[in-house]
Amino acid sequence: MSIVILDYGLGNLASIKNMLRKAGAQSIISADPAIIAGAAKLILPGVGHFEAGMENIRNSGWLDLVNQKVLVDKIPVLGICLGMQLMAGHSEEGDVSGLGWFDARIVKFRQEEIGSLKVPHMGWNEITLKQSHPLFPDIHEEQRFYFVHSYHWVCNTEADQLAVTNYGYDFTSVVAKDNIVGMQFHPEKSHRFGLAVMQRFVQWGQE
Amino acid sequence: MKRVRVIPVLGINKGRLVKTVKFDRPAYIGDPLMAIKIFNDKEVDELIICDIRASRESRDPDYNMLQDMASECFMPIGYFGGIRKLEQARKIFDLGIEKVGLSSAFCENPQLVSELAGNYGSQSVVVVLDFNKGIFGGQQLTAFSGTKKFKRTPSEAARMAEDAGAGEIVVQNISYEGTFKGYDIDLVHAVASAVRIPVVALGGASGISDFSKAIKAGASAVAASSQFVYNKNDTRSILISYPSQEQLKKELYASL
């Protein structure tokens, strides 16, 4: 039983594997249903275009299996960056449906509201936690993470919102529901702050 | 509070960490892996690794060294040097490095920037613009470690990079590199005001006050090399350093 990093052709998978190793966990990068079937936990990574991501996932041959593991078996799953966004119901990027694990939509940063700030939002930023969670136990801890994105999450169900980040305005940067967590930033590229999150993901459900 | 990225640049030549002045006289600084471990411990915002002679000497990136580096780095990394083909960039991304920088390849074949952006997204492609004084005055775009010149003004080159699909531009004036005299602020302004994508200033910074000036001139991030490898900007004394979060908050972010 291990952590499987889902490979659908997009994203920097080696850096996630490196960070998990640093967090003391072995992981497998795979698109093979036989390996995914044995996963104890899943990571849905991703960098790039939403529509291309969904198309690759539909062609991957593992979508039904992953839906089963996430929604029925309820194993812990972590979505990172585009991987988080794909868990929503719909995205403006390509005007397409996502995996639909959350009642949420993905929209482009509203340039008229962020003024002179540039899109993509690229660099380090802080998160403000709205609730505590096994991956973010201390809601007052000052933590910074590395972000790169042009689109962001909008919750239709406020209870899903775990944290917000300010870039011209507050947007949803971490979401959680049952066994699923999604984060807009890259924990694998966020020093000890990201390491702590990954260590807690490794331990999640094992206490 | 506005945060801006402060990015150390590590020059590499044949597996050694080196530091040049005006792209010349590479001085041996030490072991690149050791330097990277120290920068990782200091929690730098991002790191640029630059093989300074790879394009000029038509060498491939040193993938083994880059793999060792990437497994020690838990921050974003850009790699510059010797990339001429999509396949080379793919190998770099597969190591866990998320950005590649193109200078010589951009000057000769801007189409490669478009191909990379199309396959891996704009955020993975940085165009590096090195300028030097032209014979008849003005700034001239150069490539292959400054040895080859191209007829492009700073704003023309910047727009070409943006149009090709670059996610970011790193800009430097070669005659400022390693001199501690501050960035070429006019050049930073000319490039940043020509494009909407983020521009990173490089070359000549002596400390945080120079960072602040570059950001005010329109840069979105700042990069530097000498001041992070020399002790108190004294080139006789090597010391890997990086400002603390408190120092950055107080002296840089608060000034913006």
Side-chain angles (χ1 to χ4, degrees):
Chain A
M1 298 294 269
S2 61
I3 299 175
V4 174
I5 302 166
L6 293 167
D7 184 1
Y8 59 98
L10 289 182
N12 224 308
L13 313 186
S15 52
I16 296 175
K17 194 177 165 73
N18 281 343
M19 187 55 115
L20 283 168
R21 190 186 304 122
K22 180 91 173 168
Q26 289 304 314
S27 60
I28 307 168
I29 296 171
S30 183
D32 179 354
I35 288 173
I36 295 168
K41 291 178 186 180
L42 293 173
I43 291 184
L44 184 62
V47 171
H49 198 279
F50 190 100
E51 191 178 5
M54 274 314 293
E55 194 178 321
N56 286 10
I57 286 178
R58 275 193 216 94
N59 295 330
S60 66
W62 49 248
L63 178 55
D64 290 344
L65 173 63
V66 166
N67 272 327
Q68 159 82 24
K69 303 230 14 142
V70 174
L71 301 174
V72 182
D73 303 347
K74 292 196 178 290
I75 66 165
V77 55
L78 168 61
I80 297 173
C81 195
L82 178 65
M84 172 223 203
Q85 297 187 355
L86 291 168
M87 304 189 308
H90 181 266
S91 176
E92 273 182 14
E93 191 178 24
D95 188 21
V96 287
S97 296
L99 295 167
W101 296 347
F102 285 84
D103 182 15
R105 59 193 193 278
I106 308 302
V107 301
K108 185 145 197 183
F109 269 109
R110 300 186 296 274
Q111 190 72 57
E112 66 279 11
E113 286 181 48
I114 63 173
S116 62
L117 293 174
K118 300 212 173 190
V119 176
H121 169 217
M122 187 196 291
W124 292 78
N125 209 332
E126 282 152 37
I127 64 170
T128 303
L129 287 158
K130 298 288 184 183
Q131 324 171 31
S132 70
H133 183 274
L135 268 60
F136 298 92
D138 177 4
I139 63 168
H140 300 296
E141 188 190 350
E142 196 181 299
Q143 337 179 44
R144 62 195 156 93
F145 297 97
Y146 184 75
F147 290 80
V148 191
H149 60 123
S150 300
Y151 290 77
H152 66 79
W153 185 284
V154 178
C155 288
N156 293 331
T157 307
E158 207 181 326
D160 298 337
Q161 186 182 64
L162 207 61
V164 296
T165 292
N166 190 277
Y167 192 65
Y169 53 83
D170 282 350
F171 69 89
T172 302
S173 50
V174 186
V175 290
K177 186 167 79 173
D178 306 328
N179 54 314
I180 315 171
V181 180
M183 44 198 67
Q184 181 60 67
F185 50 80
H186 289 274
E188 76 281 12
K189 289 283 170 177
S190 297
H191 289 305
R192 64 190 152 97
F193 307 100
L195 176 61
V197 170
M198 294 299 253
Q199 281 169 333
R200 293 187 201 114
F201 179 71
V202 170
Q203 287 153 9
W204 193 24
Q206 294 184 346
E207 292 83 31
Chain B
M1 181 182 69
K2 181 181 173 183
R3 283 178 182 276
V4 293
R5 290 172 289 146
V6 175
I7 309 170
V9 179
L10 294 183
I12 305 290
N13 192 23
K14 298 184 177 110
R16 293 150 71 94
L17 180 63
V18 294
K19 184 69 205 82
T20 52
V21 176
K22 302 180 184 179
F23 279 21
D24 200 12
R25 294 186 281 130
Y28 176 63
I29 299 292
D31 172 38
L33 261 181
M34 190 53 76
I36 278 192
K37 283 180 193 166
I38 298 171
F39 279 122
N40 188 64
D41 290 345
K42 293 186 179 297
E43 299 180 352
V44 299
D45 290 340
E46 195 168 326
L47 203 59
I48 291 174
I49 298 160
C50 180
D51 191 326
I52 62 166
R53 296 284 185 262
S55 284
R56 188 152 119 188
E57 295 168 5
S58 302
R59 269 190 283 113
D60 258 4
D62 184 342
Y63 301 109
N64 289 331
M65 183 186 68
L66 291 174
Q67 178 159 34
D68 290 344
M69 289 176 166
S71 60
E72 296 292 339
C73 272
F74 300 98
M75 78 292 251
I77 319 168
Y79 169 77
F80 303 175
I83 294 172
R84 307 174 297 280
K85 290 177 290 201
L86 196 72
E87 177 60 20
Q88 294 170 310
R90 189 190 60 76
K91 277 193 191 169
I92 305 251
F93 296 142
D94 284 348
L95 299 175
I97 291 174
E98 56 271 89
K99 296 180 190 181
V100 294
L102 306 182
S103 161
S104 306
F106 165 74
C107 291
E108 293 202 320
N109 173 27
Q111 184 61 32
L112 181 61
V113 175
S114 311
E115 282 172 32
L116 282 169
N119 278 275
Y120 299 101
S122 286
Q123 83 294 329
S124 66
V125 199
V126 181
V127 163
V128 186
L129 300 176
D130 296 327
F131 290 94
N132 218 340
K133 257 198 214 77
I135 306 163
F136 305 107
Q139 298 269 10
Q140 201 164 19
L141 181 63
T142 74
F144 298 94
S145 314
T147 56
K148 200 165 169 184
K149 294 186 165 56
F150 294 82
K151 281 188 180 140
R152 299 279 175 198
T153 66
S155 56
E156 282 169 3
R159 276 192 288 270
M160 261 183 74
E162 183 174 47
D163 291 346
E168 243 177 315
I169 292 172
V170 170
V171 60
Q172 78 175 324
N173 181 330
I174 294 173
S175 64
Y176 284 56
E177 196 256 341
T179 63
F180 301 109
K181 64 180 176 185
Y183 295 108
D184 181 343
I185 292 296
D186 291 341
L187 178 63
V188 170
H189 181 72
V191 167
S193 56
V195 293
R196 292 191 59 86
I197 54 177
V199 170
V200 184
L202 175 62
S206 67
I208 289 181
S209 61
D210 288 326
F211 299 160
S212 184
K213 285 177 198 159
I215 300 296
K216 284 173 184 158
S220 294
V222 288
S225 185
S226 300
Q227 66 165 292
F228 297 136
V229 298
Y230 290 129
N231 187 12
K232 298 190 174 81
N233 295 346
D234 177 351
T235 58
R236 291 165 304 184
S237 167
I238 292 163
L239 179 73
I240 304 278
S241 68
Y242 187 78
S244 67
Q245 271 296 303
E246 289 64 41
Q247 206 181 349
L248 287 173
K249 278 184 190 169
K250 211 167 82 188
E251 296 174 31
L252 180 60
Y253 307 153
S255 74
L256 303 175

